[in-house]
Amino acid sequence: MASPTYQVVDPRSGEVVETFPHATDDEVATAIDRSSAAFTSWRALPISERAAVVRRVGAAFAERADELAEIATTEMGKVHHEGVEEVELCQAIFDWFATEGPGLAADEPLKTAAPGTAMVQKLPVGPLLGVMPWNFPFYQIARFAAPNLVLGNTVLLKHAESVPRSALVVQEIMDQAGVPEGVYVNLFATHEQVETVIADPRVAGVSLTGSERAGSIVGALAGKHLKKCVLELGGSDPYVLLDTDDVAAAAKLAWDTRMYNAGQACNSNKRMIVMSEIYDDFVSELTALADAVVEVTPLSSRRAAEAVAEQVEDAVARGATLHAGGVLSAGRDAAYSPAVLTGVRPGMRAWTEELFGPVAVVYRVDSDEEALALANDTAYGLGGAVFSRSTARAQALAERLDVGMTNVNTPMGEGPEIPFGGIKRSGYGRELGPLAMDEFVNKRILFVADETPGGA
């Protein structure tokens, strides 16, 4: 069921700031018409010209960094400096694809024993629907839109109902940068209208970043209508600490990683798996860091904070230990104090569910094999990290993680050039890096025979 409107609710107060109506069915039809018509002319432009427009988009993001960060603060509670960092990453993404995209989309010769020349051509496929989440309201758009605009696809963008100002300002930026009309179209669609868009034969594919539930619905619709689909869903990433010379520093890195964006990142280190020799000291350091928090960053919404509180309460009721934090605000705001939780076991919701908030969950293990078994004991498969004084030891374990992104001695490898995506219930397909240029393309084979028929 769609929400009544697209609505800005400030998580710092719970107050409704502004509302926007859903698109009408006629507006949805017009948007698809515009996107389809624009595709014909956009794809015909030399890729160098499309790349130049995409580079201007990145520059336009950077020019409005403070403004965009403030919008994110109002809509989903993001700390201002984290909002600025998000916008800076957007510029880097648009710049990277503007620079590298033309080469990545170039024809690739194929060796063949047949009498002729063969090559793979990477061609755009048409209008694409992007269904984006609220937690990184600008970055998520950038990593979907940048490669596809360079390729020559057009974009219909359905953002989360809670970040309409973010959606509108991105449309402004696209227009400001000179993206032709219809090439990028923001759409305040209902859930039912999303199905209409996916069903339209002119729409070539859909990319969704969001929950498992949303992913299963959109994936089923894409399959029903024979459309290419990319899904980036939830995660419960393992963060394995095998040994360290400095427990305090290791705990601080783990804590800062977990608390970024108030813990609302799909690839956050949601399960900290720590060797028994350093476990007690590690938990003590995390607890001290949690106790030292003075100003609590709100989650994206009151409901989001309540959901995390319910998961933690379930764990504690079933025998887990809450060492610090875990206090839900008594008001209408979305504050939930950063928490440290241990003793999570099978049967608790926190064992199988993603905790999308500021909760550091720590597990004790006695061997590398036990750490690996626990790390892989999840339905998710987004990312993971392994730390050790011995890089070889950490890498040996990291290479056995059942994930789409595995990291050694760093929480995560990041950058426009590094592909992002997972396996299992974390979804499928890749964004960012060279792999992003291979998702929504027609990999057409061109074969030119050495001789014309009849020897002409």
Side-chain angles (χ1 to χ4, degrees):
M1 180 70 67
S3 63
T5 55
Y6 280 68
Q7 192 172 78
V8 179
V9 180
D10 192 331
R12 297 168 295 186
S13 65
E15 297 294 327
V16 177
V17 178
E18 191 173 11
T19 61
F20 300 84
H22 284 115
T24 66
D25 290 345
D26 285 345
E27 288 170 337
V28 171
T30 298
I32 299 172
D33 289 343
R34 290 172 56 204
S35 187
S36 179
F39 174 62
T40 301
S41 55
W42 182 243
R43 72 180 301 184
L45 285 178
I47 193 169
S48 60
E49 293 185 23
R50 296 196 299 265
V53 174
V54 167
R55 190 180 303 280
R56 292 200 300 271
V57 171
F61 265 92
E63 290 170 8
R64 303 176 69 169
D66 283 322
E67 174 194 355
L68 269 60
E70 185 55 38
I71 289 172
T73 298
T74 301
E75 291 194 312
M76 50 76 60
K78 190 182 295 286
V79 176
H80 185 84
H81 74 84
E82 291 184 4
V84 171
E85 290 170 1
E86 180 180 344
V87 176
E88 291 172 344
L89 180 54
C90 290
Q91 181 186 21
I93 290 169
F94 283 108
D95 281 354
W96 192 86
F97 282 103
T99 300
E100 303 295 336
L104 292 169
D107 293 348
E108 297 179 6
L110 292 175
K111 292 182 179 180
T112 175
T117 301
M119 66 180 62
V120 179
Q121 298 177 307
K122 295 182 180 179
L123 305 177
V125 292
L128 305 173
L129 173 63
V131 182
M132 297 293 111
W134 47 261
N135 59 330
F136 291 93
F138 308 116
Y139 160 69
Q140 302 283 3
I141 294 177
R143 70 186 198 184
F144 166 62
N148 286 301
L149 292 177
V150 171
L151 281 165
N153 295 316
T154 55
V155 171
L156 293 157
L157 201 292
K158 186 263 182 239
H159 218 323
E161 285 90 341
S162 59
V163 290
R165 286 182 175 176
S166 296
L168 290 174
V169 77
V170 173
Q171 181 71 72
E172 288 181 11
I173 285 172
M174 295 289 177
D175 297 341
Q176 172 189 345
V179 175
E181 181 179 350
V183 171
Y184 181 96
V185 182
N186 178 69
L187 195 57
F188 284 163
T190 66
H191 296 172
E192 292 78 12
Q193 288 167 341
V194 165
E195 182 171 0
T196 298
V197 176
I198 295 173
D200 192 288
R202 295 168 293 179
V203 175
V206 55
S207 178
L208 175 137
T209 298
S211 67
E212 287 180 80
R213 178 178 178 275
S216 64
I217 293 170
V218 168
L221 289 170
K224 175 182 177 181
H225 298 289
L226 300 178
K227 304 293 176 70
K228 174 67 183 289
C229 184
V230 168
L231 299 176
E232 197 279 280
L233 309 177
S236 189
D237 289 12
Y239 186 97
V240 182
L241 182 60
L242 299 176
D243 56 58
T244 179
D245 288 326
D246 191 336
V247 174
K252 182 66 164 60
L253 177 61
W255 178 259
D256 289 347
T257 302
R258 186 67 185 100
M259 294 302 125
Y260 192 81
N261 205 40
Q264 301 167 117
C266 50
N267 62 333
S268 181
N269 51 335
K270 299 187 178 80
R271 293 180 298 140
M272 302 179 192
I273 299 169
V274 181
M275 205 61 68
S276 57
E277 293 86 350
I278 54 177
Y279 172 88
D280 289 334
D281 289 342
F282 184 85
V283 171
S284 294
E285 291 290 343
L286 287 185
T287 302
L289 291 166
D291 286 336
V293 173
V294 176
E295 184 175 350
V296 176
T297 301
L299 274 72
S300 64
S301 68
R302 177 68 185 186
R303 182 61 200 129
E306 290 172 347
V308 173
E310 290 165 4
Q311 290 171 304
V312 172
E313 288 166 5
D314 171 82
V316 172
R318 295 173 185 272
T321 300
L322 181 64
H323 296 261
V327 178
L328 178 66
S329 169
R332 297 170 57 192
D333 61 281
Y336 183 79
S337 58
V340 178
L341 188 67
T342 64
V344 172
R345 298 187 304 274
M348 300 175 183
R349 291 177 57 191
W351 179 267
T352 55
E353 296 178 5
E354 177 181 27
L355 273 72
F356 211 63
V359 183
V361 182
V362 192
Y363 299 82
R364 182 198 299 265
V365 292
D366 294 316
S367 68
D368 291 21
E369 288 300 318
E370 185 182 357
L372 177 67
L374 178 56
N376 285 336
D377 186 14
T378 174
Y380 296 103
L382 190 55
V386 184
F387 293 79
S388 172
R389 291 186 297 255
S390 166
T391 299
R393 180 186 180 192
Q395 184 171 342
L397 196 153
E399 289 188 356
R400 297 169 69 191
L401 294 180
D402 295 333
V403 296
M405 304 174 290
T406 188
N407 304 277
V408 175
N409 287 335
T410 183
M412 61 196 74
E414 287 188 296
E417 71 283 359
I418 299 178
F420 189 103
I423 60 172
K424 300 193 287 188
R425 294 194 68 83
S426 291
Y428 46 79
R430 294 294 182 267
E431 294 183 304
L432 297 179
L435 301 186
M437 299 288 289
D438 284 337
E439 291 293 351
F440 294 103
V441 292
N442 173 13
K443 297 175 185 176
R444 187 173 71 183
I445 305 303
L446 174 64
F447 184 85
V448 180
D450 286 340
E451 297 182 4
T452 57

